[in-house]
Amino acid sequence: MSRARGGAPERFREPVYVTRPLLPPLAAVTARLEAVWRTQQLTNVGAQHDELESALRSHLGVRELSLFTNGTAALITAIRALGLTGEVLTTPFTFPATPHALSWSGITPVFCDIDPVTLNIDPVSVERAVTSRTSGILAVHVYGNPCDVEGLARIGDRCGLKIIYDAAHAFGTRVNGRGIGDFGDLTMFSFHATKLFHTAEGGALACGDASLKARIDDLRNFGIHGPDAVQAIGLNGKMSEIQAALGLCVLEGVPGELAVRRLLLARYRERVAEIEGLTWLHGLNGDADTSCQYAVIRVDAARFGCSRDVLHRELQAYNVFTRKYFSPLCSNYDCYRDLPSAAASNLPVATRAVQEVLCVPLYGGLAESDIDRICDMIVAIRETTGRSVAAGAVE
Ligand code: T4K
């Protein structure tokens, strides 16, 4: 069993959060903003917007891309662009935006169970839930690890269902060298400040079909098709020039940020392997192929000596703020718990996983020594709570 290295770990002086945004040099942002000021075009698809759209297309390896003001607006637009109706199969193990985008569009989310290893939606559970009312699948690449894209494509083809991927966490994830945005009918990315690549708030839809992109661009702009034509009921989802200018600066820092995150993830993986009762989740295909968005451990309360919730709480005393993404399950929200698919008996794997997962700090501003210190804190908490286990009290 692992021991804290170098004695009792010292509390961090400054709070350590689950993530921090990648901040480009302010001078670089100012230089881009000066260009925006000169043109006086602040939004409505200007030069910064077009430059970012093109840069991201090649970075992500996708044929078509439309930028949005945030990922949720992009998701709602994807649902509208594909004409989904009735019921859509989705995962309960996600951020509220995923099922809410369906409900907001008048669609009933049908929750399916998840895979015990990847924690992504399980194709077997999806296939079982298809009915005559099902129009699509909304799957999430949770923590940036890819779904079983081949299994889902087979079901989509067999049952005539559209597939939308929520790749909010999966910026730059690749499957066999292919960009994650190149699967399904549409893929949504989030560029929120908490994401590896960000525009403070922002998002995008990727697809392989130019006519679908044209429809999305109209829907993103009130349904306006040309100077005298409004052809659809659209919303305002446009990314501004200021967001795009920031994004172009952030994008330059992504390779460096990724390199640091990979080192930190390797350190975590090594340390977590030594701690009884913890398992490591990140980077199922190897960290080189994923977005390195989150570092995730699973806590087996019986073996670790205390629950995930206790570990989360105790770390706060050390000034470390982990997150329990995605607890509670979406199926347990008041607005969804009465759906037949929300029953815990329908979601046994998700129900267990959601009690065990903990996202620990990961961002380029941390050093390997910080990861060691956090792991020492975890070991120290285990040693303390281990004593209460011996006394028969696992919380
Ligand atoms: N689908 C999925 C699967 C998603 O995870 C999300 C969003 C979406 C769809 C929707 O995409 P968007 O519409 O948001 O583009 C955060 C984000 O707000 C949210 O975008 C994200 N997922 C979710 C997983 O995380 P919170 O409520 O946990 O964020 P918050 O403010 O507590 O931030 C977490 C930590 O990050 C803070 O403790 C400190 C740090 N932080 C945060 C912000 C905002 C900073 O250092 N600076 C910052 O500016 O939701």
Side-chain angles (χ1 to χ4, degrees):
M1 193 236 297
S2 177
R3 302 234 149 250
R5 296 177 180 181
E10 226 181 282
R11 182 180 192 272
F12 283 102
R13 204 141 358 125
E14 299 296 327
V16 175
Y17 295 110
V18 69
T19 191
R20 294 303 258 167
L22 167 53
L23 292 177
L26 200 50
V29 182
T30 309
R32 282 210 169 262
L33 289 181
E34 279 167 1
V36 174
W37 258 233
R38 273 195 301 276
T39 65
Q40 298 188 35
Q41 174 147 20
L42 300 187
T43 186
N44 287 8
V45 188
Q48 304 290 323
H49 172 282
D50 286 353
E51 191 179 336
L52 181 63
E53 199 169 275
S54 155
L56 289 177
R57 241 188 347 253
S58 54
H59 188 100
L60 293 168
V62 296
R63 226 171 310 159
E64 305 291 348
L65 192 90
S66 300
L67 298 177
F68 277 79
T69 192
N70 61 61
T72 305
L75 209 46
I76 289 167
T77 305
I79 290 162
R80 178 65 67 113
L82 293 176
L84 300 188
T85 56
E87 295 175 351
V88 168
L89 310 176
T90 194
T91 171
F93 191 74
T94 183
F95 196 63
T98 315
H100 284 358
L102 295 169
S103 303
W104 195 266
S105 310
I107 291 169
T108 306
V110 174
F111 295 113
C112 301
D113 210 3
I114 59 176
D115 178 273
V117 178
T118 66
L119 307 187
N120 286 324
I121 198 165
D122 177 5
V124 174
S125 171
V126 167
E127 186 145 34
R128 239 186 273 131
V130 176
T131 70
S132 58
R133 283 176 45 75
T134 312
S135 62
I137 301 168
L138 173 50
V140 182
H141 301 298
V142 177
Y143 306 135
N145 288 321
C147 291
D148 177 356
V149 286
E150 284 172 13
L152 292 173
R154 273 194 296 274
I155 297 168
D157 288 346
R158 207 166 33 239
C159 304
L161 304 177
K162 300 282 187 199
I163 301 180
I164 300 175
Y165 283 110
D166 175 336
H169 308 167
F171 185 86
T173 293
R174 301 183 89 81
V175 178
N176 300 325
R178 205 168 138 197
I180 197 71
D182 199 25
F183 296 90
D185 293 282
L186 276 174
T187 296
M188 178 279 270
F189 293 94
S190 165
F191 304 150
H192 184 262
T194 51
K195 302 301 185 288
L196 169 71
F197 166 76
H198 71 90
T199 55
E201 290 274 1
L205 287 180
C207 66
D209 174 354
S211 63
L212 181 55
K213 178 198 164 37
R215 186 151 78 249
I216 287 164
D217 286 351
D218 286 356
L219 287 171
R220 178 188 68 172
N221 187 30
F222 313 100
I224 296 173
H225 185 64
D228 299 312
V230 175
Q231 289 188 343
I233 300 172
L235 45 70
N236 180 1
K238 293 173 273 95
M239 177 180 280
S240 77
E241 287 292 273
I242 295 167
Q243 286 172 289
L246 173 61
L248 283 160
C249 299
V250 171
L251 192 57
E252 285 189 25
V254 164
E257 172 77 16
L258 261 178
V260 178
R261 287 188 184 208
R262 284 195 190 114
L263 274 181
L264 302 180
L265 285 168
R267 193 82 185 133
Y268 264 130
R269 198 182 313 111
E270 194 185 304
R271 291 295 312 272
V272 165
E274 298 170 351
I275 306 174
E276 173 147 15
L278 295 191
T279 44
W280 179 247
L281 193 120
H282 201 274
L284 296 160
N285 282 353
D287 297 329
D289 274 332
T290 75
S291 55
C292 300
Q293 173 63 51
Y294 292 110
V296 188
I297 57 176
R298 284 185 77 161
V299 183
D300 176 340
R303 286 174 47 236
F304 183 72
C306 72
S307 68
R308 181 275 316 272
D309 287 351
V310 171
L311 177 60
H312 167 74
R313 195 181 66 214
E314 293 292 316
L315 279 168
Q316 290 176 18
Y318 288 101
N319 227 359
V320 173
F321 297 89
T322 58
R323 294 301 282 263
K324 300 185 259 180
Y325 296 131
F326 291 99
S327 175
L329 290 177
C330 297
S331 46
N332 284 335
Y333 301 166
D334 284 349
C335 50
Y336 298 127
R337 61 164 38 117
D338 291 335
L339 292 173
S341 67
S345 56
N346 184 46
L347 308 166
V349 180
T351 301
R352 175 165 180 196
V354 82
Q355 292 163 21
E356 297 184 346
V357 284
L358 192 64
C359 293
V360 289
L362 178 70
Y363 48 92
L366 293 174
E368 282 175 287
S369 56
D370 295 321
I371 305 307
D372 274 331
R373 207 158 142 194
I374 292 166
C375 291
D376 285 346
M377 291 165 183
I378 293 174
V379 170
I381 292 166
R382 185 187 193 283
E383 283 169 359
T384 323
T385 54
R387 281 195 278 279
S388 36
V389 175
V394 183
E395 196 189 329

